[in-house]
Amino acid sequence: MVIGSEKGLPAVELRRVSFDHPDAVKLNDVVQREYAERYESDGDLTPLDPSMFEPPHGLYLVAYDENGTPLATGGWRAREADEMGYSDGDAEIKRMFVVKQARGNGLARRILAALEDDARAAGRVRMVLETGSRQPEAVNLYESSGYEPCAKFGVYRFHEGSRCYAKPLHG
């Protein structure tokens, strides 16, 4: 699916790929290094498995420019109520990331919309995500896209810098 060119934005192609696709792995390695730098840590330790992003229980996207260069990723995975604080019908956003040279072109917002549409079509009722206090651009993206703070969930639910957000998918 090609997106962006009709609105004066750079055209990109969003491709459904597996979480272990070579381009997804490459970009995941980059985002993990960025997390490690921002948080002086080992990166995001949330356990993820490629099967979590397989339809109809998830989706993983990589955005490519006209030359086939991977620029960004984003995915969602189905979650149900459990001891980690999720609720039945949740779709959790994971690995939203845009490489530095492609930032500022609305690419993350376009990926987010595609993830929301797919999760809604899969019958999910709420989109949720966890980010951190050292990612102000992510907080801005989600808040400006209709996400509101919610009860903390997931691996980092007890960390002070964790920020959890949710958005209903009805309508």
Side-chain angles (χ1 to χ4, degrees):
M1 147 186 13
V2 176
I3 59 171
S5 58
E6 71 281 354
K7 297 179 182 176
L9 298 169
V12 295
E13 181 183 1
L14 292 183
R15 294 183 202 161
R16 178 187 301 259
V17 301
S18 64
F19 184 66
D20 57 358
H21 182 279
D23 292 334
V25 171
K26 176 181 161 184
L27 290 176
N28 189 53
D29 289 346
V30 175
V31 73
Q32 289 293 354
R33 284 192 299 273
E34 187 165 322
Y35 291 156
E37 289 171 16
R38 287 187 188 218
Y39 294 99
E40 300 172 4
S41 70
D42 293 329
D44 182 356
L45 301 178
T46 303
L48 297 176
D49 181 274
S51 66
M52 295 174 169
F53 299 98
E54 292 300 318
H57 305 290
L59 169 71
Y60 204 79
L61 298 173
V62 172
Y64 293 88
D65 69 10
E66 64 278 355
N67 299 315
T69 303
L71 301 175
T73 62
W76 73 266
R77 63 182 181 158
R79 304 299 291 179
E80 304 301 338
D82 67 6
E83 71 282 351
M84 299 284 282
Y86 296 97
S87 296
D88 286 342
D90 280 351
E92 183 184 20
I93 296 171
K94 295 304 296 178
R95 297 301 188 264
M96 284 287 293
F97 177 70
V98 179
V99 297
K100 289 181 183 178
Q101 63 269 27
R103 293 178 185 169
N105 292 311
L107 189 49
R109 194 170 302 280
R110 292 182 271 170
I111 291 172
L112 182 60
L115 295 176
E116 289 173 355
D117 288 346
D118 189 75
R120 187 179 298 108
R124 299 280 93 190
V125 298
R126 183 176 82 145
M127 208 76 166
V128 298
L129 65 101
E130 188 274 336
T131 188
S133 58
R134 296 184 185 177
Q135 293 171 262
E137 54 282 277
V139 169
N140 181 58
L141 168 69
Y142 298 123
E143 288 180 350
S144 68
S145 298
Y147 287 77
E148 296 184 354
C150 67
K152 288 186 176 184
F153 59 84
V155 172
Y156 295 100
R157 66 192 179 282
F158 301 118
H159 286 74
E160 183 180 326
S162 174
R163 304 289 183 263
C164 292
Y165 291 88
K167 178 181 179 179
L169 289 175
H170 57 75

